[in-house]
Amino acid sequence: MHSIAATLQDIVDGLGLRAVAEPLVRPTTDGVAGLAFDHYGADRFKFVAVDATTDRLLIGYSSNGQITIVAETSLLVDGDVPMSIRLDGTTVTVSIDGVVALSHSFYSILNDGDFGLYNQSGTSSFESLLMQTDDP
């Protein structure tokens, strides 16, 4: 676990419980940045992020100001990283350039909290964000 200070820009309030959310986000960072989801407060959320300092793709969560990484894989970070993130029930799946790179199942549904752009460290920018859902 790591103690962090993170910046979150709220973009979407919670979706319906049966919705499948598929955001496409393109972060460029020299630190750690991505998408926060299932957000209920400054220190209570889950995230998918690119860590440019260690060339890793991360899935994790924040609870009581502590960051826990639950899944990770190597990723060559060179410029922006087009991430397609699928939130379906309790499972988050991350694809890079259309190829599944990482997945993790949590113990609770993922799409009932807020969504936001996430910056844990460094300077980050987000070229685009496209949010799709099957929520009627």
Side-chain angles (χ1 to χ4, degrees):
M1 287 195 275
H2 306 284
S3 180
I4 58 97
T7 303
L8 182 97
Q9 177 61 49
D10 185 26
I11 54 171
V12 177
D13 290 333
L15 300 172
L17 293 179
R18 295 184 172 266
V20 175
E22 294 191 49
L24 175 66
V25 62
R26 298 178 72 100
T28 301
T29 185
D30 59 8
V32 179
L35 182 83
F37 54 93
D38 203 25
H39 177 266
Y40 287 97
D43 66 349
R44 192 169 158 225
F45 58 91
K46 297 172 181 75
F47 64 89
V48 169
V50 172
D51 184 341
T53 64
T54 60
D55 289 327
R56 295 180 306 153
L57 177 63
L58 309 171
I59 297 175
Y61 66 91
S62 173
S63 180
N64 298 319
Q66 298 293 312
I67 290 290
T68 301
I69 304 301
V70 295
E72 63 182 277
T73 191
S74 296
L75 172 71
L76 179 58
V77 178
D78 185 21
D80 70 339
V81 180
M83 295 190 298
S84 173
I85 303 164
R86 181 175 175 88
L87 304 174
D88 188 357
T90 62
T91 303
V92 57
T93 303
V94 186
S95 298
I96 305 292
D97 290 327
V99 177
V100 173
L102 195 59
S103 186
H104 181 77
S105 291
F106 287 92
Y107 293 109
S108 63
I109 196 161
L110 302 177
N111 57 7
D112 56 340
D114 294 341
F115 295 85
L117 300 175
Y118 172 70
N119 184 59
Q120 179 179 320
S121 65
T123 302
S124 303
S125 63
F126 298 85
E127 179 182 317
S128 63
L129 172 71
L130 173 64
M131 178 67 88
Q132 301 177 61
T133 179
D134 67 352
D135 196 20

